[in-house]
Coordinates of all heavy atoms in Angstrom, one line a residue:
M162 N -39.4 97.1 75.6 CA -39.4 95.5 75.6 C -38.0 95.2 75.9 O -37.0 95.6 75.6 CB -39.6 95.3 74.0 CG -39.6 93.9 73.7 SD -39.8 93.4 72.0 CE -41.5 93.5 71.8
T163 N -38.0 94.0 76.7 CA -36.7 93.4 77.1 C -36.7 92.1 76.5 O -37.7 91.4 76.1 CB -36.7 93.4 78.6 OG1 -37.7 92.5 79.1 CG2 -36.8 94.7 79.3
S164 N -35.5 91.6 76.4 CA -35.3 90.2 75.9 C -34.6 89.3 77.0 O -34.0 89.9 77.9 CB -34.4 90.2 74.7 OG -33.1 90.8 75.0
L165 N -34.7 88.1 76.8 CA -34.2 87.2 77.8 C -32.6 87.1 77.6 O -32.2 87.3 76.5 CB -34.8 85.8 77.6 CG -36.3 85.7 77.9 CD1 -36.8 84.3 77.6 CD2 -36.7 86.1 79.3
P166 N -31.9 86.7 78.6 CA -30.5 86.5 78.5 C -30.2 85.4 77.6 O -31.1 84.4 77.6 CB -30.0 86.3 79.9 CG -31.2 85.9 80.7 CD -32.4 86.5 80.0
P167 N -29.1 85.3 76.9 CA -28.8 84.1 76.1 C -28.6 82.8 77.0 O -28.3 82.9 78.2 CB -27.5 84.5 75.4 CG -26.8 85.5 76.3 CD -28.1 86.2 77.0
A168 N -28.8 81.8 76.3 CA -28.6 80.5 76.9 C -27.1 80.3 77.3 O -26.3 80.7 76.6 CB -29.1 79.3 76.1
P169 N -26.8 79.7 78.5 CA -25.4 79.5 78.8 C -24.8 78.5 77.9 O -25.5 77.5 77.4 CB -25.6 79.0 80.3 CG -26.8 78.4 80.4 CD -27.8 79.2 79.5
V170 N -23.6 78.6 77.7 CA -22.8 77.8 76.7 C -21.9 76.9 77.6 O -21.1 77.5 78.4 CB -22.0 78.6 75.6 CG1 -21.2 77.7 74.8 CG2 -23.1 79.4 74.8
K171 N -21.9 75.7 77.4 CA -20.9 74.8 78.1 C -19.9 74.4 77.1 O -20.1 73.7 76.1 CB -21.7 73.6 78.6 CG -20.8 72.7 79.4 CD -21.7 71.4 79.9 CE -20.7 70.5 80.6 NZ -21.5 69.3 81.0
P172 N -18.6 74.9 77.3 CA -17.6 74.4 76.3 C -17.2 73.0 76.5 O -17.5 72.3 77.5 CB -16.4 75.3 76.9 CG -16.7 75.6 78.2 CD -18.2 75.6 78.5
F173 N -16.7 72.4 75.3 CA -16.4 71.0 75.4 C -15.1 70.8 76.2 O -14.3 71.6 76.4 CB -15.9 70.7 73.8 CG -17.0 70.6 72.9 CD1 -17.0 71.5 71.8 CD2 -18.1 69.8 73.0 CE1 -18.1 71.5 71.0 CE2 -19.1 69.6 72.1 CZ -19.1 70.7 71.1
P174 N -15.0 69.6 76.9 CA -13.8 69.3 77.6 C -12.6 69.2 76.7 O -12.7 69.0 75.5 CB -14.1 67.8 78.2 CG -15.6 67.7 77.9 CD -16.1 68.5 76.9
E175 N -11.4 69.6 77.3 CA -10.2 69.6 76.5 C -9.8 68.3 75.7 O -9.2 68.3 74.8 CB -9.0 70.0 77.4 CG -9.0 71.4 77.8 CD -8.9 72.4 76.7 OE1 -8.1 72.2 75.8 OE2 -9.6 73.4 76.7
D176 N -10.2 67.2 76.3 CA -9.9 65.9 75.8 C -11.0 65.3 74.8 O -10.9 64.2 74.3 CB -9.5 64.9 76.8 CG -10.7 64.6 77.8 OD1 -11.6 65.5 77.8 OD2 -10.7 63.5 78.4
S177 N -12.0 66.1 74.5 CA -13.0 65.6 73.6 C -12.7 65.7 72.1 O -11.8 66.5 71.7 CB -14.3 66.5 73.9 OG -14.1 67.8 73.3
I178 N -13.3 64.9 71.3 CA -13.0 64.8 69.9 C -13.3 66.2 69.2 O -12.7 66.7 68.4 CB -13.8 63.7 69.2 CG1 -13.3 62.4 69.7 CG2 -13.6 63.8 67.8 CD1 -14.1 61.2 69.2
E179 N -14.4 66.8 69.6 CA -14.8 68.0 69.1 C -13.8 69.1 69.4 O -13.4 69.9 68.4 CB -16.2 68.5 69.8 CG -17.3 67.6 69.5 CD -17.5 66.5 70.5 OE1 -16.6 66.2 71.3 OE2 -18.6 65.9 70.6
K180 N -13.3 69.2 70.6 CA -12.3 70.2 70.9 C -11.0 70.0 70.0 O -10.4 70.9 69.5 CB -12.0 70.2 72.4 CG -11.2 71.2 72.9 CD -11.9 72.5 72.9 CE -11.4 73.4 74.0 NZ -12.2 74.6 74.2
K181 N -10.6 68.7 69.9 CA -9.3 68.4 69.2 C -9.6 68.8 67.7 O -8.7 69.4 67.0 CB -9.0 67.0 69.3 CG -8.6 66.6 70.6 CD -8.4 65.1 70.8 CE -8.0 64.8 72.2 NZ -7.8 63.3 72.4
A182 N -10.8 68.5 67.1 CA -11.0 68.8 65.7 C -11.1 70.3 65.4 O -10.4 70.8 64.5 CB -12.3 68.1 65.3
Y183 N -11.6 71.0 66.3 CA -11.7 72.5 66.1 C -10.5 73.2 66.4 O -10.1 74.2 65.8 CB -12.9 73.1 66.9 CG -14.2 72.9 66.2 CD1 -15.1 71.7 66.5 CD2 -14.7 73.7 65.2 CE1 -16.3 71.5 65.9 CE2 -15.8 73.5 64.6 CZ -16.7 72.3 64.9 OH -17.8 72.1 64.3
K184 N -9.6 72.6 67.3 CA -8.3 73.2 67.5 C -7.4 73.0 66.3 O -6.7 74.0 66.0 CB -7.7 72.4 68.7 CG -8.0 73.1 70.2 CD -7.1 72.6 71.1 CE -7.3 73.2 72.5 NZ -6.5 72.5 73.5
I185 N -7.5 71.9 65.7 CA -6.7 71.7 64.4 C -7.1 72.8 63.4 O -6.3 73.4 62.8 CB -7.0 70.2 63.9 CG1 -6.3 69.2 64.7 CG2 -6.4 70.2 62.4 CD1 -6.6 67.8 64.4
A186 N -8.4 72.9 63.2 CA -9.0 73.9 62.2 C -8.5 75.3 62.6 O -8.1 76.1 61.7 CB -10.5 73.9 62.2
E187 N -8.6 75.6 63.9 CA -8.1 77.1 64.4 C -6.6 77.2 64.2 O -6.1 78.4 63.9 CB -8.6 77.3 65.8 CG -9.9 77.7 65.8 CD -10.3 78.9 65.0 OE1 -9.6 79.9 65.0 OE2 -11.4 78.9 64.3
S188 N -5.8 76.1 64.3 CA -4.4 76.3 64.2 C -4.0 76.6 62.7 O -2.8 77.0 62.4 CB -3.7 75.0 64.6 OG -3.9 73.9 63.7
L189 N -4.9 76.5 61.7 CA -4.7 76.7 60.4 C -5.1 78.1 59.9 O -5.3 78.4 58.8 CB -5.3 75.6 59.6 CG -4.8 74.2 59.8 CD1 -5.7 73.2 59.0 CD2 -3.3 74.1 59.4
A190 N -5.3 79.0 60.9 CA -5.8 80.3 60.5 C -5.0 81.1 59.5 O -5.6 82.0 58.8 CB -6.1 81.1 61.9
D191 N -3.7 80.8 59.6 CA -2.8 81.6 58.7 C -3.1 81.1 57.2 O -2.9 82.0 56.2 CB -1.3 81.3 59.0 CG -0.9 81.9 60.2 OD1 -1.6 82.9 60.6 OD2 0.1 81.4 60.7
Y192 N -3.5 79.9 57.0 CA -3.8 79.4 55.6 C -5.3 79.4 55.2 O -5.6 79.4 54.1 CB -3.3 77.9 55.5 CG -2.0 77.8 56.1 CD1 -1.5 76.9 57.1 CD2 -0.8 78.5 55.5 CE1 -0.3 76.9 57.6 CE2 0.5 78.4 55.8 CZ 0.8 77.6 56.9 OH 2.0 77.5 57.4
L193 N -6.1 79.5 56.2 CA -7.6 79.5 56.1 C -8.1 80.8 56.7 O -8.6 80.7 57.9 CB -8.4 78.3 56.6 CG -7.9 76.9 56.0 CD1 -8.6 75.8 56.7 CD2 -8.4 76.9 54.5
P194 N -8.1 81.9 56.0 CA -8.4 83.2 56.8 C -9.9 83.5 57.0 O -10.2 84.3 57.9 CB -7.9 84.3 55.7 CG -8.0 83.6 54.4 CD -7.6 82.2 54.7
I195 N -10.7 82.7 56.4 CA -12.2 82.9 56.6 C -12.6 82.0 57.8 O -12.5 80.8 57.7 CB -12.9 82.6 55.3 CG1 -12.4 83.6 54.2 CG2 -14.5 82.7 55.5 CD1 -13.0 83.3 52.9
I196 N -13.3 82.6 58.8 CA -13.7 81.9 59.9 C -14.7 80.8 59.6 O -14.6 79.6 60.2 CB -14.4 82.8 61.0 CG1 -13.3 83.8 61.5 CG2 -15.0 82.1 62.2 CD1 -14.0 84.9 62.3
N197 N -15.6 80.9 58.7 CA -16.6 80.0 58.4 C -15.9 78.7 57.7 O -16.3 77.5 57.8 CB -17.6 80.5 57.4 CG -18.6 81.4 58.1 OD1 -18.7 81.3 59.3 ND2 -19.3 82.3 57.4
D198 N -14.8 79.0 56.9 CA -14.0 77.9 56.4 C -13.4 77.0 57.5 O -13.4 75.8 57.4 CB -12.9 78.4 55.5 CG -13.4 78.9 54.1 OD1 -14.5 78.7 53.8 OD2 -12.6 79.5 53.4
R199 N -12.9 77.7 58.5 CA -12.3 77.0 59.6 C -13.4 76.2 60.4 O -13.2 75.0 60.8 CB -11.6 77.8 60.6 CG -10.3 78.5 59.9 CD -9.4 79.1 60.8 NE -9.9 80.1 61.6 CZ -9.9 81.4 61.3 NH1 -9.4 81.8 60.1 NH2 -10.4 82.4 62.1
N200 N -14.7 76.8 60.6 CA -15.7 76.1 61.2 C -16.1 74.8 60.4 O -16.3 73.8 60.9 CB -16.8 77.0 61.4 CG -16.6 78.0 62.6 OD1 -15.8 77.8 63.5 ND2 -17.3 79.2 62.5
R201 N -16.2 74.9 59.2 CA -16.6 73.8 58.2 C -15.5 72.8 58.2 O -15.8 71.6 58.3 CB -16.7 74.3 56.8 CG -18.0 74.0 56.2 CD -18.2 74.5 54.8 NE -17.6 75.9 54.8 CZ -17.1 76.4 53.7 NH1 -17.1 75.8 52.6 NH2 -16.6 77.5 53.7
L202 N -14.3 73.2 58.3 CA -13.1 72.1 58.4 C -13.2 71.5 59.8 O -13.1 70.3 59.8 CB -11.8 72.8 58.2 CG -10.5 72.0 58.4 CD1 -10.6 70.9 57.3 CD2 -9.3 72.7 58.3
G203 N -13.5 72.3 60.8 CA -13.5 71.6 62.1 C -14.6 70.6 62.2 O -14.4 69.5 62.7
F204 N -15.8 70.9 61.7 CA -16.9 69.9 61.6 C -16.6 68.8 60.8 O -16.9 67.6 61.3 CB -18.2 70.6 61.1 CG -19.3 69.7 61.0 CD1 -20.0 69.2 62.1 CD2 -19.7 69.2 59.7 CE1 -21.1 68.3 62.0 CE2 -20.8 68.4 59.6 CZ -21.4 67.9 60.7
N205 N -16.0 68.9 59.7 CA -15.6 67.7 58.9 C -14.5 66.9 59.5 O -14.5 65.6 59.4 CB -15.1 68.3 57.5 CG -16.3 68.6 56.6 OD1 -17.1 67.6 56.1 ND2 -16.6 69.7 56.4
L206 N -13.6 67.5 60.2 CA -12.5 66.8 60.9 C -13.1 66.1 62.1 O -12.7 64.8 62.3 CB -11.4 67.7 61.4 CG -10.6 68.4 60.3 CD1 -9.6 69.3 61.0 CD2 -9.9 67.3 59.5
Y207 N -14.1 66.6 62.7 CA -14.8 65.9 63.8 C -15.4 64.7 63.2 O -15.3 63.6 63.9 CB -15.8 66.9 64.5 CG -16.8 66.1 65.3 CD1 -16.6 65.6 66.5 CD2 -18.1 66.0 64.9 CE1 -17.4 64.9 67.3 CE2 -19.1 65.4 65.6 CZ -18.8 64.8 66.8 OH -19.7 64.2 67.5
R208 N -16.2 64.8 62.2 CA -16.8 63.6 61.6 C -15.8 62.5 61.1 O -15.9 61.4 61.3 CB -17.6 64.0 60.4 CG -18.9 64.8 60.8 CD -19.9 65.1 59.7 NE -20.4 63.8 59.3 CZ -20.6 63.4 58.1 NH1 -20.3 64.2 57.1 NH2 -21.1 62.3 57.8
H209 N -14.7 63.1 60.6 CA -13.5 62.2 60.2 C -12.9 61.4 61.3 O -12.7 60.2 61.3 CB -12.5 63.0 59.5 CG -11.3 62.1 59.1 ND1 -11.2 61.3 58.0 CD2 -10.0 62.0 59.7 CE1 -10.1 60.7 58.0 NE2 -9.3 61.2 58.9
L210 N -12.7 62.1 62.5 CA -12.2 61.4 63.6 C -13.1 60.5 64.3 O -12.7 59.4 64.9 CB -11.8 62.5 64.6 CG -10.6 63.4 64.3 CD1 -10.4 64.5 65.3 CD2 -9.3 62.6 64.3
R211 N -14.4 60.6 64.1 CA -15.4 59.7 64.6 C -15.6 58.6 63.6 O -16.3 57.6 63.9 CB -16.7 60.3 64.8 CG -16.7 61.3 65.9 CD -18.1 61.8 66.3 NE -18.9 60.6 66.6 CZ -20.2 60.7 66.8 NH1 -20.9 61.8 66.5 NH2 -20.9 59.6 67.0
G212 N -14.9 58.6 62.4 CA -15.0 57.5 61.5 C -16.3 57.6 60.5 O -16.6 56.7 59.8
E213 N -17.0 58.8 60.6 CA -18.1 58.9 59.7 C -17.9 59.8 58.5 O -18.7 59.7 57.6 CB -19.2 59.7 60.6 CG -19.6 59.0 61.8 CD -20.5 59.9 62.7 OE1 -20.8 61.0 62.4 OE2 -21.0 59.3 63.7
G214 N -16.9 60.6 58.5 CA -16.7 61.5 57.4 C -15.8 61.0 56.3 O -15.4 59.9 56.2
D215 N -15.6 61.9 55.4 CA -14.6 61.6 54.2 C -13.2 61.7 54.6 O -12.8 62.1 55.7 CB -14.8 62.8 53.1 CG -16.3 62.6 52.5 OD1 -16.8 61.5 52.4 OD2 -16.8 63.7 52.3
D216 N -12.4 61.2 53.7 CA -10.9 61.4 54.0 C -10.5 62.8 53.8 O -11.2 63.6 53.3 CB -10.1 60.5 53.0 CG -10.2 60.9 51.7 OD1 -11.5 60.9 51.1 OD2 -9.3 61.0 50.9
I217 N -9.3 63.2 54.3 CA -8.8 64.5 54.3 C -8.8 65.2 52.9 O -9.2 66.3 52.7 CB -7.4 64.6 55.0 CG1 -7.5 64.0 56.4 CG2 -7.0 66.0 55.1 CD1 -8.5 64.6 57.3
E218 N -8.3 64.4 51.9 CA -8.2 65.0 50.6 C -9.5 65.3 50.1 O -9.8 66.4 49.5 CB -7.6 63.9 49.7 CG -7.2 64.5 48.3 CD -6.4 63.5 47.5 OE1 -5.8 62.6 48.0 OE2 -6.5 63.6 46.3
T219 N -10.5 64.6 50.3 CA -11.9 64.8 49.8 C -12.5 66.1 50.6 O -13.2 66.8 50.0 CB -12.8 63.6 50.0 OG1 -12.2 62.5 49.4 CG2 -14.2 63.8 49.5
I220 N -12.2 66.1 51.9 CA -12.7 67.3 52.6 C -12.2 68.5 52.0 O -13.0 69.5 51.9 CB -12.4 67.1 54.2 CG1 -13.1 66.0 54.8 CG2 -12.6 68.5 54.9 CD1 -12.7 65.7 56.1
V221 N -10.9 68.6 51.8 CA -10.3 69.9 51.4 C -10.7 70.3 49.9 O -11.0 71.3 49.6 CB -8.8 69.8 51.5 CG1 -8.1 71.0 50.8 CG2 -8.3 69.7 52.9
K222 N -10.9 69.2 49.1 CA -11.2 69.5 47.6 C -12.7 69.8 47.5 O -13.0 70.7 46.7 CB -10.8 68.2 46.8 CG -9.4 68.1 46.6 CD -9.0 67.0 45.7 CE -7.5 67.0 45.6 NZ -7.1 66.0 44.6
T223 N -13.6 69.2 48.3 CA -15.0 69.5 48.0 C -15.6 70.7 48.8 O -16.6 71.2 48.4 CB -16.0 68.2 48.4 OG1 -15.7 68.0 49.9 CG2 -15.6 67.1 47.7
N224 N -15.0 71.1 49.8 CA -15.3 72.3 50.5 C -15.0 73.7 50.0 O -15.5 74.7 50.4 CB -15.0 72.2 52.0 CG -15.9 71.2 52.8 OD1 -17.0 71.6 53.0 ND2 -15.3 70.1 53.1
K225 N -14.2 73.7 48.9 CA -13.8 74.9 48.3 C -13.4 76.1 49.2 O -13.9 77.2 49.3 CB -15.0 75.5 47.5 CG -15.4 74.5 46.3 CD -16.5 74.9 45.5 CE -16.9 74.0 44.5 NZ -18.2 74.3 43.8
F226 N -12.4 75.7 50.1 CA -11.9 76.6 51.1 C -11.1 77.6 50.3 O -10.5 77.5 49.4 CB -10.9 75.9 52.1 CG -11.7 74.9 52.9 CD1 -11.1 73.6 53.0 CD2 -12.7 75.1 53.7 CE1 -11.6 72.6 53.7 CE2 -13.4 74.2 54.5 CZ -12.9 72.9 54.5
T227 N -11.0 78.9 50.9 CA -10.1 80.0 50.6 C -8.8 79.7 51.2 O -8.7 79.9 52.3 CB -10.7 81.4 50.9 OG1 -12.0 81.4 50.3 CG2 -9.8 82.4 50.3
I228 N -7.8 79.3 50.4 CA -6.5 78.8 50.9 C -5.5 79.9 50.5 O -5.4 80.4 49.4 CB -6.1 77.5 50.4 CG1 -7.2 76.4 50.8 CG2 -4.7 77.1 50.9 CD1 -7.0 75.1 50.0
E229 N -4.8 80.4 51.5 CA -3.7 81.3 51.3 C -2.3 80.9 51.7 O -2.2 80.2 52.7 CB -4.0 82.7 52.0 CG -5.2 83.4 51.4 CD -5.5 84.7 52.1 OE1 -4.8 85.0 53.2 OE2 -6.4 85.4 51.6
K230 N -1.2 81.3 51.0 CA 0.1 81.1 51.5 C 0.6 79.6 51.5 O 1.7 79.3 52.0 CB 0.3 81.5 52.8 CG 0.0 83.2 53.1 CD 0.3 83.5 54.5 CE -0.3 84.9 54.8 NZ -0.2 85.2 56.2
I231 N -0.2 78.7 51.0 CA 0.2 77.3 50.9 C -0.7 76.6 49.8 O -1.8 77.1 49.5 CB -0.2 76.7 52.2 CG1 0.5 75.3 52.5 CG2 -1.7 76.6 52.5 CD1 0.3 74.7 53.8
S232 N -0.1 75.6 49.2 CA -0.9 74.9 48.1 C -1.9 74.0 48.8 O -1.8 73.6 49.9 CB 0.1 74.2 47.2 OG 0.5 73.0 47.9
R233 N -2.9 73.5 48.0 CA -3.8 72.6 48.5 C -3.2 71.3 49.0 O -3.7 70.8 50.0 CB -4.8 72.3 47.3 CG -5.9 71.4 47.8 CD -6.9 70.9 46.8 NE -7.6 72.1 46.3 CZ -8.3 72.0 45.1 NH1 -8.4 71.0 44.4 NH2 -8.9 73.1 44.7
D234 N -2.3 70.7 48.2 CA -1.7 69.5 48.6 C -0.8 69.7 49.9 O -0.8 68.8 50.8 CB -0.8 68.9 47.5 CG -1.5 68.6 46.3 OD1 -2.7 68.0 46.5 OD2 -1.0 68.7 45.1
E235 N -0.2 70.8 50.1 CA 0.6 71.1 51.3 C -0.5 71.1 52.5 O -0.1 70.6 53.6 CB 1.4 72.3 51.2 CG 2.6 72.2 50.2 CD 3.3 73.5 50.0 OE1 2.6 74.6 50.1 OE2 4.5 73.4 49.8
L236 N -1.6 71.8 52.2 CA -2.6 71.9 53.2 C -3.1 70.4 53.7 O -3.2 70.1 54.9 CB -3.7 72.8 52.9 CG -4.8 73.0 53.9 CD1 -4.3 73.7 55.2 CD2 -6.0 73.7 53.3
I237 N -3.3 69.6 52.7 CA -3.8 68.3 53.0 C -2.8 67.5 53.9 O -3.0 66.9 54.8 CB -4.1 67.6 51.7 CG1 -5.3 68.1 51.0 CG2 -4.2 66.1 51.9 CD1 -5.5 67.7 49.6
N238 N -1.5 67.6 53.5 CA -0.4 66.9 54.3 C -0.3 67.5 55.7 O -0.1 66.7 56.6 CB 0.9 67.1 53.6 CG 1.0 66.2 52.3 OD1 0.3 65.1 52.2 ND2 1.8 66.6 51.3
L239 N -0.5 68.9 55.8 CA -0.4 69.5 57.1 C -1.5 69.0 58.1 O -1.3 68.7 59.2 CB -0.4 71.0 57.0 CG -0.2 71.8 58.3 CD1 1.1 71.4 59.0 CD2 -0.3 73.3 57.9
I240 N -2.7 68.9 57.5 CA -3.8 68.3 58.2 C -3.7 67.0 58.7 O -3.9 66.5 59.8 CB -5.2 68.6 57.5 CG1 -5.5 70.0 57.2 CG2 -6.3 67.9 58.2 CD1 -6.6 70.4 56.4
R241 N -3.1 66.2 57.8 CA -2.9 64.8 58.1 C -1.8 64.6 59.2 O -2.0 63.8 60.2 CB -2.3 64.0 56.9 CG -3.4 63.7 55.8 CD -2.8 62.9 54.7 NE -3.8 62.6 53.7 CZ -3.7 62.5 52.5 NH1 -2.4 62.7 52.0 NH2 -4.7 62.3 51.6
Q242 N -0.8 65.4 59.2 CA 0.2 65.4 60.3 C -0.5 65.9 61.6 O -0.2 65.1 62.6 CB 1.3 66.4 60.0 CG 2.2 65.9 58.9 CD 3.2 67.1 58.6 OE1 3.2 68.2 59.1 NE2 4.1 66.8 57.6
K243 N -1.3 66.8 61.6 CA -2.0 67.3 62.8 C -2.9 66.2 63.3 O -3.1 66.1 64.6 CB -2.7 68.6 62.6 CG -1.7 69.7 62.5 CD -2.4 71.0 62.3 CE -1.4 72.1 62.1 NZ -0.7 72.6 63.3
I244 N -3.7 65.5 62.5 CA -4.5 64.5 62.9 C -3.8 63.3 63.5 O -4.1 62.7 64.5 CB -5.5 64.0 61.7 CG1 -6.5 65.1 61.5 CG2 -6.1 62.6 62.1 CD1 -7.5 64.8 60.4
E245 N -2.6 62.9 62.9 CA -1.7 61.9 63.5 C -1.3 62.2 64.9 O -1.3 61.4 65.8 CB -0.5 61.6 62.7 CG -0.9 60.9 61.3 CD 0.3 60.7 60.4 OE1 1.4 61.1 60.7 OE2 0.1 60.4 59.2
E246 N -0.9 63.6 65.2 CA -0.6 64.0 66.5 C -1.7 63.9 67.5 O -1.5 63.4 68.7 CB -0.1 65.4 66.4 CG 1.3 65.7 65.7 CD 1.5 67.1 65.4 OE1 0.8 67.9 66.1 OE2 2.5 67.4 64.7
V247 N -2.9 64.2 67.0 CA -4.0 64.1 68.0 C -4.4 62.6 68.2 O -4.8 62.3 69.5 CB -5.3 64.8 67.2 CG1 -6.5 64.4 68.0 CG2 -5.1 66.3 67.3
Q248 N -4.2 61.8 67.3 CA -4.6 60.3 67.5 C -3.7 59.6 68.4 O -3.9 58.4 68.8 CB -4.9 59.6 66.2 CG -6.1 60.2 65.5 CD -6.3 59.5 64.1 OE1 -5.4 59.1 63.5 NE2 -7.5 59.5 63.7
K249 N -2.5 60.1 68.6 CA -1.5 59.4 69.4 C -1.9 59.3 70.9 O -2.5 60.0 71.4 CB -0.1 60.0 69.3 CG 0.5 59.7 67.9 CD 1.8 60.3 67.8 CE 2.5 60.1 66.4 NZ 3.7 60.7 66.3

C-alpha cells in the first residue's frame, strides 16, 4: 500500500502578521521550553496584533505556560517590548 505525498506548505511572507507573531513566540524559546506553549503564544499574539485577542497579561495568565528562568511579570514586559518593536 502506498500513500500520497503530503500537501505542499506555503510559508507566510516575512512581513505578514502571522510571521511576526510566531517569530516573537519562537524568540522566547529560552523562557518557554515547550513547543506547544510557543505555538499557543504565537496564535494568541497573532489575534492580539489583529485586534481580536486579549491583552498580553491575560494571554500569559490564562494559557498556563511552563515558564523557566524568568518571572511571569518579566515575561509579560518582554512580550510587550517585542510587540512594540514589531508595530513600529
